[in-house]
Amino acid sequence: MKTTCHCFQNIFVAPEMQYNPRNVGRQNRNFVDIRTAGGTEVTNDLYVRQRKYNVFWFEGKIARVDGVSVQACVARQYPLIAQHAANLRPLEMYPHHDQKFEFWAAPGDSEMEVAYNRPVLQMTKIVIDDDLAESCMEVRTLMIGFQGEMYEGGEEGFHTWRDEDGYAVKPEVKGPDTGEQEISDDLMKKMEGMDAQKLWEEQERRAGRSPTDD
């Protein structure tokens, strides 16, 4: 019996990476298991870049066992991860669902450093060439995991501004009237659920400046 070819962005999608509840649930469980065994060091935060802009949307987290690179981890799960990005950000990403998405990886659990625009934090662009697309198929599904971001209660979604090298575009967020790389307790409470832009604007207001978008 001939198997129906399922494609996404003109890429053949293996059955185990089609975007459906079974596969999404399995890769989420794999993420939890791998993270539990290996800790934050075997995980990365994943962002998808909005086409034609330097806006990077947080999309979820990946995990992989020893011997599997970050690039291979994303490449193997690409159809599932990309479809999740299109569903998560329908206005920004779905119009381009027929083109390959640009993903960037940050260290695991680094959302706070990203929100603070730490100048030392650099994201890494995921480059999937033909060789990697082929070789990654040797990676078994249980060796990698993906935990997709989910929005609740009308969340805007966490996003940040990055340059072509993966560094923050906005100024670093620091405690008001200090040169320390810290943030006040009051501002810390306010930042829950606040994206990087709003956090930066809050700091600018506290410093007596009028925040404006670049």
Side-chain angles (χ1 to χ4, degrees), residues 23-81:
N23 291 340
V24 171
R26 182 193 63 242
Q27 293 312 113
N28 182 75
R29 291 191 297 273
N30 288 350
F31 172 87
V32 174
D33 291 344
I34 295 170
R35 179 191 173 101
T36 299
T40 307
E41 293 75 16
V42 298
T43 71
N44 289 87
D45 294 348
L46 197 63
Y47 294 77
V48 60
R49 182 177 182 175
Q50 186 174 338
R51 188 170 292 275
K52 298 181 180 179
Y53 296 92
N54 60 353
V55 180
F56 290 50
W57 293 92
F58 176 70
E59 200 215 335
K61 297 172 179 285
I62 57 172
R64 71 246 176 250
V65 301
D66 289 344
V68 178
S69 69
V70 176
Q71 306 276 350
C73 181
V74 175
R76 182 68 172 91
Q77 301 178 99
Y78 179 87
L80 188 148
I81 292 174

Side-chain angles (χ1 to χ4, degrees), residues 20 39 53 57 75 79-80 85 109-111 124 127-128 134 137 142 147 161 169 174 176-177 181-182 185 192 198 200:
N20 58 48
Y53 296 92
W57 293 92
L80 188 148
D109 295 348
S110 62
E111 296 98 321
T124 303
V127 179
I128 304 175
E134 181 177 350
M137 296 304 294
L142 57 79
Q147 187 175 74
W161 282 254
V169 172
K174 299 181 181 180
D177 302 323
Q181 296 185 3
E182 304 183 344
D185 291 339
E192 273 195 36
K198 290 181 179 178
W200 176 74

Side-chain angles (χ1 to χ4, degrees), residues 1-8 11-18:
M1 181 178 179
K2 187 176 181 179
T3 302
T4 300
C5 175
H6 183 88
C7 295
F8 178 76
I11 301 172
F12 171 75
V13 181
E16 67 273 11
M17 286 302 163
Q18 292 178 13

